[in-house]
Amino acid sequence: MVVKKGAVTQVSKKLLDRLNDAVAREMQVAVQYMWQHVQWGGVKGFAVKSELQSIAVQEMKHAEAIAERLYYLGGIPTTKPTPIFVGANLKEMIKQDIKDESGAITLYKEIIEIAKKEGDVTTAFLFKGILQQEEDHHDTFTTLAEEL
Ligand SMILES: [Fe+2]
Ligand SMILES: [Fe+2]
């Protein structure tokens, strides 16, 4: 167990590590979607550019919220994103984005389970809200994939 002075809730190193995985992933997709927003082209791209930009901003807010929680619990948030993949065309981009959203959904369900087991209700609550948005993103990207 990690002990932080002043923090009422104390959690395991395992949970702190998962939270840092989440921070790294959120930073990755924030940049990834923003650069995809910049590089989307053609008529199809025109219709979804602003959607990608708004999702990118949501991911940055996730990164910040998760990092704040991690720091409160005694962890140090990583500054390294997981590898960013922009893609050379719309199909490549969306294929990767669907993969990243399903990865986030799997990880966040795991975090909710661990947090609940450790009595960290606040982290579980935080990730329930984020999970809902990741499911929306996943839905958006799978719908876009059908149009390509
Ligand atoms: Fe996110
Ligand atoms: Fe997302």
Side-chain angles (χ1 to χ4, degrees):
M1 297 286 270
V2 175
V3 178
K4 193 199 177 194
K5 272 184 204 157
V8 177
T9 306
Q10 285 167 10
V11 299
S12 64
K13 167 101 171 42
K14 183 186 174 187
L15 181 55
L16 294 180
D17 288 346
R18 291 293 174 285
L19 292 177
N20 240 338
D21 291 343
V23 170
R25 293 187 73 106
E26 293 292 350
M27 287 193 293
Q28 173 213 336
V29 291
V31 176
Q32 185 169 302
Y33 300 162
M34 194 60 82
W35 283 185
Q36 287 175 343
H37 153 75
V38 169
Q39 292 180 36
W40 271 68
V43 175
K44 283 174 183 163
F46 190 76
V48 292
K49 272 169 85 83
S50 61
E51 184 70 20
L52 268 166
Q53 197 257 6
S54 108
I55 296 177
V57 171
Q58 285 178 30
E59 307 295 19
M60 185 51 81
K61 287 179 181 166
H62 293 168
E64 193 242 348
I66 299 165
E68 269 185 356
R69 184 67 191 157
L70 173 66
Y71 189 72
Y72 171 79
L73 292 168
I76 299 293
T78 181
T79 55
K80 288 193 186 73
T82 41
I84 295 159
F85 180 90
V86 175
N89 54 59
L90 303 187
K91 267 193 180 149
E92 265 184 31
M93 291 179 186
I94 290 303
K95 207 178 145 196
Q96 180 68 31
D97 298 349
I98 292 171
K99 223 172 98 185
D100 286 327
E101 291 299 331
S102 32
I105 289 166
T106 306
L107 176 63
Y108 296 174
K109 283 181 177 167
E110 192 195 342
I111 288 174
I112 291 167
E113 282 315 304
I114 301 170
K116 277 203 267 184
K117 256 184 224 159
E118 298 188 10
D120 183 358
V121 182
T122 308
T123 297
F125 181 76
L126 172 69
F127 274 84
K128 273 183 196 168
I130 296 176
L131 179 61
Q132 197 177 4
Q133 292 197 315
E134 307 303 6
E135 284 177 348
D136 279 349
H137 301 164
H138 185 266
D139 187 50
T140 301
F141 291 137
T142 46
T143 307
L144 284 174
E146 287 164 15
E147 303 284 317
L148 293 175

